[in-house]
Structure formats: structure tokens, C-alpha cells
Amino acid sequence: MKVYTKTGDEGKTSLLSKERVFKDSVRVHAYGTIDEANAAMGLAKSLTDKQWVIDNIHAIQKDLIVLNADLATDNVADNCDYRITAQHVEKLEKIIDKLELQRIPQKYFVTPGETQTSAALDLARTIVRRAERYIVRLRRTETVNTPVALYVNRLSDLLFVLARCVEQEDLITKVTQIVMQILQGSKQIDGEEKAMLEKAKKMIAAAEKKAIEINVPMVIAVVDVGGNLVAQERMDNALLASVSIALNKAYTAVALKMSTEQAAAVSQPGQSLYGINTTDGCRMVIFGGGIPIWQDGVLVGGIGVSGGSVDEDMSVAKAGLAAF
């Protein structure tokens, strides 16, 4: 059989009960609009990956095919067995009740379009409402199975609740993804901090070895790019004052992105950073022993050494830096 039959060329079509009616009759409008709603629900089904949504929509689509058979039947006998029954309506009500238990109540008008699936469901809902208006008009003059009218009414309610539940679940998924990204970022930061700590330990070990070679007890400090202490060691008999000096040397190297030896040269009277040592709570140290740590051209921290002469502090700091 060909798709085109030419039987409707004069503007008429056949009902399931064999009557010939005009294509713009209210009955044809009613079941044609239900067909539109079915197509919109198919769009919603194709846009979601939620199996529970797909299953609910597909079951309703099968009902709508049967419902349209009832709408396309006129002049039925009183003892005719309709296809859509009160049980179909009850099934929709149970689904609505179940979804309502999951849905967060909304005390405002909904603007469709939060997600693609919910937008398609809202489109289907408005089409069902239009179908219901045609059915109400049709019932004034012709016979319509009562459960059909009730089913269509409940269906628009179900589609509304279903759309909201889809939006709600998508929102939860989105928030969960954001939280997981944040947590993943935290894990990455934790990993970077752990890597920096391991490198700091190696630097301190190398610096301590150099300090033992020159027989000068030192304090060695390593800070991260924010100037925060990563690790610090005070060798036996190192000066107590060196604890804060070593840390501040490392901080200065990071804060100024230059060694404290370079800072000493540019902070002399008449130079560009003269008086820098009096700023930042007097944390700036302007004599050798602090060196910034660069990795692939990026500042990642600083090392500071104190306990000997400037030259001794610098040699120990360089030994530590070489181990990075």
C-alpha cells in the first residue's frame, strides 16, 4: 500500500468507525492534537538518558495510540468496549503521586527551558492542554469515552510534574559534577603540596650536607609560591635568631621574585628599592641567603638559609636549590 492514498484530496478523512468527515472537524482536531503531543513526548524521550523517564514516556505513548483509536471512533453502540478505561487514568494518578513525593514544591510560575528534556515535556503538556480543549468542545455534540477526557486531563498534570522532576534531577547532577570538580581540584592541590614537600625535604638535605662540609650549623627554610612555610630545619647549635631570618629570606625571595642578594643591591640609598626592608612588617631581608625557586619559568617557592656569613648562607642555599 502506498503512503499516499488520494482519498483525502477533497478535504475529508475516514474515522476508525468508517465515517467520512472533514479534516477540520473537531474530532479530527482532537486526535490530531494528541498525535502532536505524542511526537513532542518522543522528542523529550530522545533528549534524555534517564531510563526511568524513557520508560514512563514510552508507556504513555503506547496509551495515546489506543486513546486516539477511541477518539477516532464515532456513533459507537452503548455496549461498545472502549479501549481507554478508568484503570488507565488510575495508573497516571499513581505515577503523579509518586513523582510528587520526589518533587521540590514550587510556589511560582515555571518558565520552560531549564533543560532540553523538560522543555520538550512542557511543549507536550501545552499540546495536551489544547487537545483537552478540543475534546471538551467535541463532547458537547458527540460521544466521547469519559475515561479519554479524564486521561488527557491527568496527562497534562503528569507531564508538568515529570518536567519538574527532570529539571530537579539534572540540577542535582550538575551540582554534583561541580562539587566533584572542586574536590578533584583539591586532590590535585594536595598532590602538588605533597610533591613540594618531598622536594623541600631533598633541598634541605642537600643544604644541610653543604653546611656540614663547611662546618657551620644552619637553619634552612623552604616556602611555597604564596610564601607559606613548606618545611624548615634547624641544625644542632644553629642560632635561634636564624629560625625567623631563614624563613624571612625565603619569603623575601618569593615576594620580590629575586634573590635576597639581588635585593641587597637595589635597596641601597639612591636605588629603586631603598627602604624595602622596612615594609611588610619588616619581613623583607636584604642580605644574601634567600633564593626564589623557578620551575619551567614559573615561580613555585623560595629557599632561605641563615646561620653563617652572607657568603656561607648563599653557598648553602645554592646547594639546596640544586637539589630541586
Side-chain angles (χ1 to χ4, degrees):
M1 181 178 178
K2 292 183 178 180
V3 173
Y4 58 92
T5 63
K6 299 184 180 181
T7 59
D9 290 353
E10 296 181 356
K12 284 190 174 183
T13 187
S14 294
L15 298 178
L16 191 61
S17 50
K18 307 304 182 182
E19 291 86 0
R20 296 286 292 174
V21 297
F22 283 104
K23 292 181 179 180
D24 63 351
S25 73
V26 178
R27 186 175 292 276
V28 176
H29 271 305
Y31 67 69
T33 307
I34 289 295
D35 199 28
E36 285 183 54
N38 199 334
M41 292 174 64
L43 175 62
K45 186 172 67 174
S46 72
L47 291 172
T48 184
D49 58 357
K50 298 176 176 61
Q51 192 59 47
W52 68 271
V53 177
I54 294 172
D55 291 343
N56 275 294
I57 292 176
H58 188 71
I60 294 169
Q61 286 181 298
K62 291 169 66 177
D63 283 351
L64 292 184
I65 294 173
V66 176
L67 184 142
N68 263 356
D70 277 357
L71 280 177
T73 302
D74 193 10
N75 296 325
V76 294
D78 292 337
N79 60 354
C80 175
D81 290 331
Y82 287 106
R83 300 164 183 83
I84 294 296
T85 67
Q87 283 70 36
H88 289 89
V89 179
E90 183 180 350
K91 181 178 69 174
L92 291 190
E93 291 174 346
K94 288 181 178 179
I95 297 173
I96 293 171
D97 291 341
K98 181 179 179 180
L99 292 176
E100 280 286 70
L101 293 175
Q102 304 172 20
R103 183 172 76 94
I104 299 174
Q106 296 164 290
K107 298 180 180 179
Y108 52 85
F109 283 106
V110 172
T111 302
E114 288 295 326
T115 70
Q116 290 183 324
T117 304
S118 68
L121 288 170
D122 280 320
L123 176 61
R125 171 180 57 83
T126 59
I127 295 173
V128 169
R129 285 295 193 194
R130 176 154 49 90
E132 183 181 17
R133 292 193 291 271
Y134 281 124
I135 291 171
V136 169
R137 186 188 303 177
L138 180 63
R139 294 182 73 187
R140 292 176 185 168
T141 57
E142 300 182 42
T143 301
V144 176
N145 178 18
T146 298
V148 165
L150 295 177
Y151 187 99
V152 173
N153 177 269
R154 301 298 190 276
L155 178 57
S156 61
D157 293 332
L158 187 151
L159 291 173
F160 174 82
V161 177
L162 183 59
R164 306 291 75 78
C165 286
V166 167
E167 287 176 345
Q168 180 177 305
E169 191 168 303
D170 285 342
L171 175 62
I172 293 172
T173 300
K174 183 177 180 180
V175 171
T176 301
Q177 290 174 344
I178 293 173
V179 171
M180 292 303 295
Q181 289 173 357
I182 293 174
L183 292 176
Q184 188 63 37
S186 298
K187 290 180 180 179
Q188 184 176 355
I189 292 173
D190 290 344
E192 291 173 355
E193 290 178 349
K194 183 177 180 180
M196 186 63 182
L197 177 59
E198 294 302 316
K199 290 179 179 180
K201 290 178 179 179
K202 292 180 180 179
M203 294 173 69
I204 289 174
E208 182 179 5
K209 181 179 179 181
K210 181 64 177 179
I212 292 173
E213 287 178 4
I214 63 175
N215 197 30
V216 179
M218 299 280 192
V219 176
I220 307 114
V222 176
V223 299
D224 62 18
V225 69
N228 305 299
L229 181 64
V230 177
Q232 185 171 24
E233 180 174 337
R234 179 192 177 201
M235 296 173 62
D236 291 342
N237 298 318
L239 297 174
L240 184 59
S242 294
V243 173
S244 60
I245 295 173
L247 177 58
N248 288 340
K249 282 184 180 182
Y251 172 84
T252 302
V254 170
L256 299 181
K257 297 183 179 180
M258 65 174 68
S259 69
T260 53
E261 178 187 12
Q262 292 172 300
V266 296
S267 61
Q268 299 303 312
Q271 298 299 312
S272 59
L273 294 184
Y274 176 64
I276 188 71
N277 56 300
T278 63
T279 64
D280 202 2
C282 296
R283 290 194 66 183
M284 298 294 181
V285 178
I286 55 171
F287 50 89
I291 306 175
I293 303 171
W294 298 89
Q295 184 174 12
D296 298 326
V298 178
L299 182 67
V300 296
I303 181 171
V305 174
S306 177
S309 66
V310 170
D311 289 340
E312 290 170 337
D313 289 353
M314 289 170 53
S315 67
V316 172
K318 289 178 181 178
L321 182 62
F324 183 75

